[in-house]
Amino acid sequence: MSEVNNNATTIILFGATGDLARRKLYPALYSLYKKQNNFAVIGVARRDYDHDVFRQNVLESLQNHSNPGDDVEDFIERFYYYSLDVKETKAYGGLKELADKLDQQYDLQGNRIFYLSLAPDFFAPVTLNLKDAGLTTNTGWKRLVIEKPFGRDLQSATELNDTIHQVFDESEIYRIDHYLGKEMVQNIQVIRFANPIFEGIWNNRYISNIQITSSETLGVGERASYYDHTGALMDMIQNHMLQMVALTAMEPPSRFVTEDIRDEKVKVLRSIRPLTDATVANSVVRGQYTRGTMPNGDVVKGYREEENVNEQSMTDTFVAARLFIDNFRWAGVPFYIRTGKRMTAKSTEIVVQFKDAPKRPYFNNFNDLQPNLLVIHVQPDEGLSLKLNAKKFSTGGGSIPITMNFSNTNQDDGASAYERLIQDCIHGDSTNFTRWDEVALSWQFVDSIAKAWKERNIPLDRYEAGTMGPASSHELLAKDGHHWWPLTKTTEK
Ligand code: BG6
């Protein structure tokens, strides 16, 4: 069997009429099709579509995304639709027949990807139904792709995992964290480990603190009914933010291979100092936005005024936290993380703040000395910048901060995170997906915060939409003698 053929696959996509499929998955699949991947897609959803209506929908989603080329007709011909109530066990028989037929028709080597872009309550029943209908005893390889949230806490995630493992082996499960598909998140390891000048100082001797921000300008919009039961802690901290912490803090893996990399990430997650009810109160801030004015002048509603949000909602739309990683490399270095909706800018950045140079008596006249900062710009700009001090360009004394910038804009081939991740899945590379122990440790950490919020009278701090979060988020750093570095100005309007 040739390499190319072994990458051929049927993609059975549950949730094919959903928002994620339209906005992200179809454009990603179209790019993969252009890169010579051989696949056919069976879109599965409840609606009573036929193949043609479904294809038209796929086409429209591509047109909203870009100008599809002449090959788009051939591309959408590979899309088929199967209407199914996912809980109805008997109906899976027809799905199997269709999958078997397409397998022959497109020479897909019996390989199958089951992509569950569904509400998490359906993960377990769908997986079991796939097995009962014989869809998972295919002749080639099989892989399960699941979107988050993977459970609601450690216990429900464990139960879900046990069920899924009845059908799929851990090596066949691809848990998506789309941040792991982002160019600059993937770049963290290269920046760190391929540059001895950084790796040599990447520790508590030289680093004062690390700040990771992922801010959004959007509110909750149409996702309110999901979000009001989730909040920023589960929606962003449990997955994307802790993954970025793990990548920033991990030791070099013994080899750059999937399991070795994951092992190192797990060690970081295991070393995060556990939070108790008492320490949550002074290490974690929870916030919720109120009505305010966005930087573009739009006046926007407060969270509790949004449609489908409970008027008394205590859901967190913002979280800031201080973590410590109790290992040899990081002892004593605070990691500050923050994420929220309706903030000043859409931006994800990792700021590594180095320790100060000795100011006195050596630099008595250098009032402007700033700490060195290495900033990894994840989005919207992709790049890296390094802040240094240089002599003022004049005959007088003193220093000025200068910045060395690398910007990746224009160099990316435009591949989206989803395109990279689906391509990896087709190739059987699960490095940029989360392994079960990573998920479990992340839940354990997040659960300790959720428990304290529930059981202790910990305030929900309000912040005006269009700001960088509540005052308490700034106080969190101020009490350690630090402050959040302003987000880099971006090209975003
Ligand atoms: C998702 C969250 O995982 O990530 C959303 O569910 C959030 O609430 C999104 O908006 C942010 O992703 P990105 O790629 O736009 O930073």
Side-chain angles (χ1 to χ4, degrees), residues 212-480:
I212 305 182
T213 299
S214 192
S215 60
E216 295 186 77
T217 48
L218 291 179
V220 291
E222 290 170 6
R223 294 171 75 226
S225 35
Y226 153 79
Y227 196 87
D228 206 32
H229 296 104
T230 311
L233 181 66
M234 289 190 210
D235 188 47
M236 293 289 292
I237 303 277
Q238 190 274 339
N239 36 71
H240 314 320
M241 301 303 286
L242 287 179
Q243 284 292 322
M244 287 192 284
V245 168
L247 288 165
T248 308
M250 69 190 251
E251 295 301 315
S254 41
R255 300 242 162 75
F256 272 91
V257 294
T258 308
E259 298 312 330
D260 291 8
I261 294 171
R262 290 163 143 196
D263 286 347
E264 294 306 332
K265 284 163 68 191
V266 162
K267 284 189 209 161
V268 173
L269 296 169
R270 217 182 273 143
S271 307
I272 294 179
R273 186 180 303 168
L275 293 174
T276 61
D277 285 1
T279 51
V280 166
N282 58 23
S283 309
V284 184
V285 168
R286 62 165 167 170
Q288 190 186 71
Y289 64 83
T290 58
R291 172 179 287 265
T293 308
M294 299 303 289
N296 65 4
D298 287 354
V299 176
V300 296
K301 288 180 187 168
Y303 179 70
R304 290 179 182 176
E305 300 161 296
E306 302 266 17
E307 225 169 286
N308 296 324
V309 169
N310 182 329
E311 288 170 1
Q312 314 274 311
S313 175
M314 291 293 283
T315 300
D316 45 302
T317 64
F318 174 95
V319 174
R322 179 186 60 185
L323 338 170
F324 285 101
I325 297 170
D326 285 333
N327 65 14
F328 206 79
R329 187 187 283 261
W330 294 114
V333 178
F335 280 66
Y336 301 107
I337 59 179
R338 64 176 167 171
T339 183
K341 304 270 182 203
R342 286 283 191 233
M343 293 172 67
T344 318
K346 167 84 182 163
S347 175
T348 303
E349 281 188 356
I350 301 170
V351 180
V352 180
Q353 177 178 340
F354 292 91
K355 288 191 172 164
D356 288 340
K359 287 200 175 108
R360 289 165 199 280
Y362 308 102
F363 289 118
N364 238 349
N365 299 327
F366 287 52
N367 295 331
D368 295 329
L369 273 193
Q370 298 278 332
N372 293 144
L373 302 179
L374 176 72
V375 184
I376 299 175
H377 305 271
V378 175
Q379 62 186 15
D381 294 343
E382 294 177 338
L384 193 66
S385 58
L386 184 60
K387 227 177 206 148
L388 305 166
N389 294 297
K391 179 185 161 298
K392 245 185 201 153
F393 302 111
S394 69
T395 47
S399 68
I400 50 162
I402 58 165
T403 308
M404 290 165 63
N405 271 324
F406 161 68
S407 168
N408 192 35
T409 322
N410 304 327
Q411 296 188 22
D412 191 13
D413 72 349
S416 70
Y418 274 95
E419 181 185 333
R420 288 194 194 93
L421 294 175
I422 298 171
Q423 178 82 81
D424 285 353
C425 176
I426 291 175
H427 287 154
D429 179 353
S430 50
T431 313
N432 290 312
F433 296 81
T434 40
R435 199 170 65 189
W436 164 243
D437 44 0
E438 296 174 66
V439 176
L441 287 162
S442 303
W443 273 125
Q444 192 175 309
F445 178 72
V446 159
D447 282 359
S448 64
I449 300 174
K451 176 172 168 286
W453 284 354
K454 207 163 146 202
E455 291 172 8
R456 293 271 178 126
N457 198 11
I458 294 178
L460 173 72
D461 297 332
R462 318 297 291 282
Y463 61 101
E464 246 181 72
T467 66
M468 285 308 285
S472 46
S473 158
H474 300 286
E475 286 151 18
L476 179 70
L477 275 70
K479 62 191 181 204
D480 295 342

